[in-house]
């Protein structure tokens, strides 16, 4: 039961630490995505209004470029394509061909790796005066934040591994501590003799509660065995005494009869000698 309990505790500890590490990593990733997605969506919501404002004063391409220049922030790449997606009408200076090709993938709120950078991508339709104008694409560079997140996750993983190792070590030490009293009990059981039953007591002051209960039961068993052995010894002693006394009297009378009787024939003397010898042998046995 001790081994099963320790194993169950170890498995639960590992599962618990792994679950906490996985959930924390996922939560940190989602928080990073949500924070930057909200920022990108805020800029995207401004984009149609600015485009509509500039379209009254400038040609479409110049109005789009002016809007992109106004809403651009460091680390945010923006480009605008026609409705059919065949022509790039405007783009910011941070847009690369690799980014533009990645913008065609099905976009979800997650982190995408583009080359050696990590990006959050966004795509939305732009309409002015209830007419579709095209699609705006945004790519927020979160490489630095992603590297920090990866480092944090690695640190959390290392902490979980250390905690797991510490748990294994603690359980191993507890098992070893629990087995020491059992080893002492086994040693005593192998070395104890019948004469030591009443005086033998197993002392386990620092043992776990379960082992202490077992030690108390073991001591009670030794006490009962000692009492039974003492009762058996007294019974045999009483029987020996009760039988030896009359046999001694019988042997004495036989020896006296042999010494004083001169009228015994050989058969009678041999019979008395045999009876006396058997009586003496029985006395010695008792």
């Amino acid at each position: 039961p001790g081994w099963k309990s320790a194993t169950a505790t170890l498995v639960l500890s590992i599962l618990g630490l792994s679950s906490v590490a996985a959930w924390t990593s996922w939560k940190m990733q989602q928080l990073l995505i949500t924070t930057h997605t909200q920022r990108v969506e805020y800029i995207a919501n401004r984009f149609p209004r600015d485009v509509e404002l500039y379209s009254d004063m400038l040609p479409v391409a110049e109005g789009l470029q002016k809007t992109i220049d106004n809403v651009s922030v460091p680390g945010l790449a923006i480009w605008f394509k026609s409705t059919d997606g065949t022509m790039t009408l405007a783009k910011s200076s941070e847009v690369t061909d690799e980014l533009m090709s990645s913008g065609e993938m099905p976009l979800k709120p997650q982190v995408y790796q583009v080359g050696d950078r990590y990006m959050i991508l966004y795509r939305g339709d732009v309409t002015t005066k209830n007419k579709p104008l095209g699609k705006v694409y945004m790519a927020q560079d979160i490489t630095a934040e992603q590297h920090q997140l990866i480092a944090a996750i690695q640190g959390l993983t290392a902490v979980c591994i250390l905690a797991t190792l510490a748990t294994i070590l603690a359980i191993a030490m507890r098992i070893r501590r629990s087995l020491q009293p059992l080893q002492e009990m086994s040693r005593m059981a192998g070395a104890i003799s019948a004469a030591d039953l009443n005086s033998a007591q197993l002392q386990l002051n620092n043992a776990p509660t379960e082992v202490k209960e077992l030690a108390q039961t073991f001591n009670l068993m030794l006490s009962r065995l000692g009492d039974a052995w003492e009762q058996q010894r007294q019974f045999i002693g009483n029987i020996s005494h009760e039988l030896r006394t009359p046999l001694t009297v019988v042997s004495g009378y036989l020896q006296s009869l042999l010494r004083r009787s001169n009228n015994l024939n050989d058969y009678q003397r041999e019979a008395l000698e045999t009876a006396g010898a058997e009586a003496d042998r029985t006395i010695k046995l008792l």
Side-chain angles (χ1 to χ4, degrees), residues 125-266:
D125 296 325
V126 177
T127 59
T128 56
K129 299 178 181 180
N130 297 325
K131 294 182 179 180
L133 184 61
K135 296 180 179 180
V136 62
Y137 297 83
M138 298 184 184
Q140 176 66 54
D141 191 343
I142 60 166
T143 302
E145 292 91 336
Q146 185 67 17
H147 285 161
Q148 292 176 356
L149 177 60
I150 293 174
I153 292 174
Q154 291 175 345
L156 180 62
T157 303
V159 170
C160 290
I161 292 174
L162 291 176
T164 301
L165 293 176
T167 302
I168 294 174
L169 180 61
I171 292 176
M173 291 178 64
R174 178 171 178 80
I175 291 175
R176 183 177 180 182
R177 180 188 171 196
S178 300
L179 289 180
Q180 284 178 346
L182 299 180
Q183 293 172 350
E184 178 65 19
M185 188 180 300
S186 176
R187 184 196 64 78
M188 178 180 288
I192 196 170
S193 63
D196 301 329
L197 286 173
N198 283 327
S199 60
Q201 290 290 314
L202 190 63
Q203 302 296 332
L204 300 176
N205 297 324
N206 298 323
T209 303
E210 298 83 355
V211 179
K212 283 184 178 180
E213 294 177 357
L214 179 61
Q216 292 174 356
T217 305
F218 183 78
N219 289 335
L220 289 175
M221 181 190 68
L222 291 179
S223 179
R224 289 196 298 269
L225 288 175
D227 292 341
W229 173 259
E230 181 64 22
Q231 291 174 4
Q232 178 181 333
R233 190 186 63 80
Q234 291 179 359
F235 174 77
I236 293 175
N238 292 335
I239 292 295
S240 175
H241 175 74
E242 294 297 330
L243 293 177
R244 190 170 59 247
T245 299
L247 283 174
T248 303
V249 174
V250 171
S251 177
Y253 277 116
L254 290 173
Q255 296 299 329
S256 177
L257 182 60
L258 284 172
R259 287 195 302 269
R260 295 179 181 180
S261 297
N262 298 321
N263 57 348
L264 297 176
N265 58 35
D266 293 340

Side-chain angles (χ1 to χ4, degrees), residues 47 51 55 67 73 88 95 98 142-143 211 216 265 272 277 281:
F47 198 85
V51 169
S55 64
T67 302
V73 293
T88 301
V95 176
E98 191 174 22
I142 60 166
T143 302
V211 179
Q216 292 174 356
N265 58 35
L272 288 175
R281 189 177 69 86

Side-chain angles (χ1 to χ4, degrees), residues 61-128:
E62 293 182 12
L64 289 172
Q65 189 62 52
K66 186 69 174 177
T67 302
I68 289 175
D69 294 339
N70 285 341
V71 300
S72 291
V73 293
L76 179 63
I78 305 174
W79 65 100
F80 193 91
K81 287 188 175 183
S82 58
T83 304
D84 56 8
T86 58
M87 183 181 300
T88 301
L89 302 179
K91 64 179 180 178
S92 63
S93 59
E94 298 183 5
V95 176
T96 62
D97 293 338
E98 191 174 22
L99 270 179
M100 293 176 66
S101 62
S102 65
E104 300 303 326
M105 67 178 66
L107 301 185
K108 297 179 182 180
Q110 66 183 38
V111 177
Y112 294 87
Q113 186 171 2
V114 181
D116 58 348
R117 294 187 296 171
Y118 294 92
M119 316 289 288
I120 291 180
L121 304 179
Y122 175 85
R123 179 177 64 220
D125 296 325
V126 177
T127 59
T128 56

